[in-house]
Amino acid sequence: PHMPWRAPASIMDHFAALPDSSFPDPFEEKDPHFWTDHSSGWSRYSSNEIKMFRNWASVAEVDRARAYYASVSFVDKMLGRVVEAVRGSAAADSTLIVLWGDHGFHLGDHDLWGKKTVFEQATRVPFIIVPSPDVLRANKAVRASVGAGVAAPTDSVDVFPTLTDLAGIAAPEGVAGTSLLPFLA
């Protein structure tokens, strides 16, 4: 989620009550020589999105992580509500729900707070497909893979070809990307 990281008090309170050890220690991976290449030094600094928040520097890093995880949990809860609403609607049989993000986020790892790097943490994004009952009935491979994760690298350009494949229609010629449906088999 983008900043500000906010969630209802019940979710924020849950993460506030967890011990600091529940959160990854971003300093475990520190490489003292990492920033010797000054051409990449710009990544050391917080993104403009972070700089907008006046008290950012005064918030302990573990509390920043708490706020981030609380926001992610809130998004997850809201996605669950969307899924349940669709399942209870007349359109349920023919509706695919897709959620994906455009970037990951550093939570202090590599001494970074932000998204503007090519490190794995900033490039990993959520990509969730909730197939419709029609797709599940028509495709045994998709039915068997519900709830599975894919560790292989994929790309956002693969979303459209995957959706056309799930819908049983051909992607227009010249469309970039590859259907991820084979990963679901």
Side-chain angles (χ1 to χ4, degrees):
H2 283 262
M3 295 180 82
W5 296 327
R6 295 194 178 129
S10 61
I11 296 174
M12 294 297 276
D13 291 348
H14 167 76
F15 284 92
L18 295 175
D20 291 358
S21 60
S22 299
F23 301 92
D25 180 356
F27 299 106
E28 284 181 9
E29 304 173 14
K30 257 198 178 148
D31 176 357
H33 303 292
F34 179 77
W35 294 117
T36 56
D37 175 6
H38 297 291
S39 65
S40 62
W42 66 270
S43 295
R44 261 186 298 195
Y45 305 104
S46 298
S47 68
N48 289 334
E49 183 180 36
I50 290 172
K51 289 177 184 174
M52 289 179 357
F53 297 91
R54 288 179 224 173
N55 67 341
W56 176 258
S58 67
V59 176
E61 291 185 345
V62 72
D63 290 330
R64 296 175 195 172
R66 282 184 168 93
Y68 179 84
Y69 287 118
S71 296
V72 169
S73 292
F74 182 56
V75 169
D76 185 58
K77 185 175 184 172
M78 294 301 99
L79 178 60
R81 288 179 64 182
V82 169
V83 170
E84 291 307 313
V86 169
R87 284 184 178 155
S89 75
D93 279 349
S94 59
T95 302
L96 281 167
I97 299 171
V98 179
L99 170 84
W100 84 97
D102 62 337
H103 58 79
F105 202 88
H106 289 282
L107 295 174
D109 50 297
H110 297 292
D111 203 19
L112 297 168
W113 288 88
K115 60 187 177 183
K116 297 177 180 178
T117 74
V118 294
F119 288 119
E120 183 177 3
Q121 189 66 20
T123 60
R124 292 183 64 127
V125 299
F127 180 34
I128 299 168
I129 299 174
V130 180
S132 69
D134 283 352
V135 167
L136 291 173
R137 281 189 288 275
N139 193 316
K140 184 179 178 181
V142 173
R143 200 169 45 248
S145 67
V146 169
V150 174
T154 61
D155 198 319
S156 292
V157 298
D158 300 330
V159 173
F160 183 71
T162 302
L163 295 179
T164 57
D165 207 0
L166 284 168
I169 57 176
E173 193 171 320
V175 167
T178 304
S179 172
L180 301 174
L181 197 55
F183 283 107
L184 304 177

